[in-house]
Amino acid sequence: MLIIILLCVVMSAYFSATETAFTTFNRIRVKNLAEKGNKRAARALELAENYDKLISTILIGNNIVNILASSLATLFFTDLLKNGSAAQFATTISTAVMTILILTFGEISPKTIAKQSPDKFVLFSTPIIAVVVKLLTPLSFIFKQLQNLLSRIFKSDDDQGMTEEELISIIEEAAEEGDLDEEESTLIKSAIEFNELEVGDIFTPRIDITAVRSDISKEDMAKVFTESGYSRIPIYDDDLDNIHGIVYYKDFFSDAHTTEIPISEIIKPVMYVTKTQKINDVLKDLQEKQMHMAIVTDEYGSTAGIVTLEDILEEIVGEIWDEHDEIIEEIKEIGEGEYIVSGRANLDKLFEELEIDLDEELDAMTVNGWAMSILDRIPEEGDSFEELGLTVKVLKMDGRRIEDLHILDNRTTESDEDEEDEKDENDD
């Protein structure tokens, strides 16, 4: 009887550890093993695919061995103490002993061990649990039907799908635990958020467009290419609202610059998009039409700016610099809680860098627009204001637009002062 009780506790430990292992194992690692020919890994994935049946089998098996162990223990202690003064407490003693044994060796310890190495334990457990699943299939079927009945009775209207916020939280947790490094985490989160971005979030505004009139001379065209460093220049008639094509650097210097071919014959067609279009849709259109640039129009049909293939890709992989680009840090930390920020910097990225969460969205997309909305006028060099715990000062203007600002995060300095005060109090 003691041997059977011991075996039941061992099986209880096995079922508990298996439950934890199949709940926490890394599917990607096991899938990689399966693709390399590991049969246990492939079988483990098959079991995990039908998780409801698997967990039902584990719980049924665990309850069977626990109940059997408790029943046999009651019989054992009743027989052992039948002639003594403690006979009347046999059931109580049996319950206390089995509770300690099952909790310690059948539940807590095996689950803790399995959680430390879930992948290894899944591979070890798979051949055994696969047999148990087959043996307990009739019972699992009965409980599955009962579960379906209860689900119909207590039907839930909650959406069981995973939200974007939940998925990002999982990525952040994986990064904190060391499963992903910072670059991998940033790349995955950027890819997840990619579908939500619109052209208006990333486009280059009209004021920053380098474009030329259609009647430009070849000498002036060559000069624009040389001075701007761009490989594609939009062409317009009369004004920027009438952009009708693009001239490519390669086409100009190989076909038109030193020949009689006019610039009008090497102009490539242009694609138009709106600021509200999703950038993943624009990316597909650019790929299908084999273009690298699109003209962004506003609600009135006027040119609002341009968006390039590079702009879109940078939303996933970060800034892309080539050997001809001047590397510009839009948000540069120069000290503890102290930054030099470009007026062109994206406002959301600034607030993300400073870990500022807003209850409501702002109308401005750039730091320049945000500062103008706070000051309620065109800024001047030396203007400053305080907002959201930040002290912001305009350092440099480019015409009517802010070039650079100095931002001091007062929350950081206040936190440091509080820590120093607390330290002084402790020293006293």
Side-chain angles (χ1 to χ4, degrees), residues 11 14-15 18-19 22 39-48 50 53-55 57-58 121-138 140:
M11 287 303 297
Y14 166 78
F15 284 123
T18 301
E19 178 186 355
F22 271 94
K39 294 182 178 180
R40 285 197 179 190
R43 184 58 179 145
L45 290 174
E46 290 178 12
L47 291 170
N50 195 353
K53 184 176 181 180
L54 175 65
I55 198 67
T57 300
I58 292 173
F121 197 88
V122 161
L123 297 178
F124 161 77
S125 173
T126 292
I128 304 172
I129 198 63
V131 174
V132 177
V133 167
K134 290 182 179 179
L135 291 175
L136 296 182
T137 294
S140 297

Side-chain angles (χ1 to χ4, degrees), residues 155-378:
K155 188 175 181 180
S156 174
D157 296 328
D158 294 340
D159 182 10
Q160 299 299 318
M162 183 179 293
T163 64
E164 180 180 304
E165 291 77 11
E166 291 171 338
L167 188 55
I168 290 176
S169 296
I170 292 173
I171 300 301
E172 292 175 346
E173 184 177 340
E176 290 175 1
E177 293 178 354
D179 294 330
L180 296 172
D181 60 32
E182 185 177 351
E183 289 76 13
E184 291 171 333
S185 173
T186 301
L187 183 61
I188 295 172
K189 287 193 288 185
S190 297
I192 293 171
E193 295 169 343
F194 184 74
N195 288 341
E196 300 301 319
L197 290 174
E198 297 179 349
V199 171
D201 296 324
I202 66 169
F203 80 119
T204 300
R206 177 188 180 114
I207 193 173
D208 292 324
I209 295 178
T210 297
V212 297
R213 289 175 59 93
S214 55
D215 58 357
I216 190 172
S217 66
K218 291 183 179 181
E219 290 74 16
D220 289 339
M221 189 77 209
K223 188 176 180 181
V224 170
F225 272 119
T226 303
E227 293 181 351
S228 68
Y230 296 135
S231 58
R232 301 168 187 84
I233 304 294
I235 297 287
Y236 63 88
D237 294 325
D238 300 327
D239 56 41
L240 280 176
D241 292 327
N242 295 299
I243 295 176
H244 62 84
I246 300 173
V247 174
Y248 286 64
Y249 178 95
K250 182 179 178 181
D251 293 339
F252 175 75
F253 283 100
S254 63
D255 298 333
H257 186 220
T258 57
T259 68
E260 297 298 323
I261 299 175
I263 293 177
S264 59
E265 291 190 13
I266 62 170
I267 296 176
K268 301 293 184 181
V270 68
M271 188 175 95
Y272 295 91
V273 297
T274 65
K275 290 196 290 185
T276 56
Q277 282 184 249
K278 300 293 185 182
I279 63 173
N280 60 326
D281 295 330
V282 175
L283 176 60
K284 292 176 184 177
D285 289 341
L286 288 172
Q287 289 175 317
E288 289 175 359
K289 296 177 180 179
Q290 298 183 352
M291 295 182 177
H292 290 76
M293 178 187 294
I295 307 302
V296 183
T297 61
D298 60 21
E299 58 184 311
Y300 304 106
S302 301
T303 299
I306 60 172
V307 63
T308 66
L309 191 61
E310 184 176 298
D311 293 332
I312 297 174
L313 295 179
E314 283 179 345
E315 289 304 310
I316 299 179
V317 301
E319 294 292 336
I320 301 173
W321 307 99
D322 62 30
E323 64 274 16
H324 303 295
D325 288 337
E326 178 187 355
I327 299 178
I328 300 172
E329 288 186 79
E330 291 188 336
I331 304 173
K332 182 178 181 181
E333 186 172 7
I334 59 174
E336 184 67 26
E338 196 172 358
Y339 304 84
I340 298 295
V341 180
S342 169
R344 303 179 185 183
N346 182 279
L347 188 59
D348 289 335
K349 290 183 178 179
L350 173 64
F351 286 165
E352 183 179 346
E353 175 75 20
L354 300 180
E355 297 182 354
I356 295 176
D357 294 324
L358 297 179
D359 295 331
E360 56 184 31
E361 293 186 6
L362 299 175
D363 293 333
M365 291 168 43
T366 64
V367 175
N368 178 71
W370 174 60
M372 284 187 174
S373 66
I374 298 297
L375 293 171
D376 200 23
R377 58 179 171 81
I378 296 175

Side-chain angles (χ1 to χ4, degrees), residues 381-393:
E381 290 184 6
D383 283 344
S384 63
F385 61 88
E386 294 191 4
E387 186 77 10
L388 302 173
L390 309 174
T391 298
V392 183
K393 183 178 181 180

Side-chain angles (χ1 to χ4, degrees), residues 336 412-428:
E336 184 67 26
T412 303
T413 56
E414 288 174 1
S415 177
D416 292 340
E417 290 174 0
D418 291 340
E419 289 180 3
E420 290 179 4
D421 292 341
E422 185 177 345
K423 182 178 179 181
D424 292 339
E425 290 177 2
N426 292 333
D427 292 340
D428 294 339

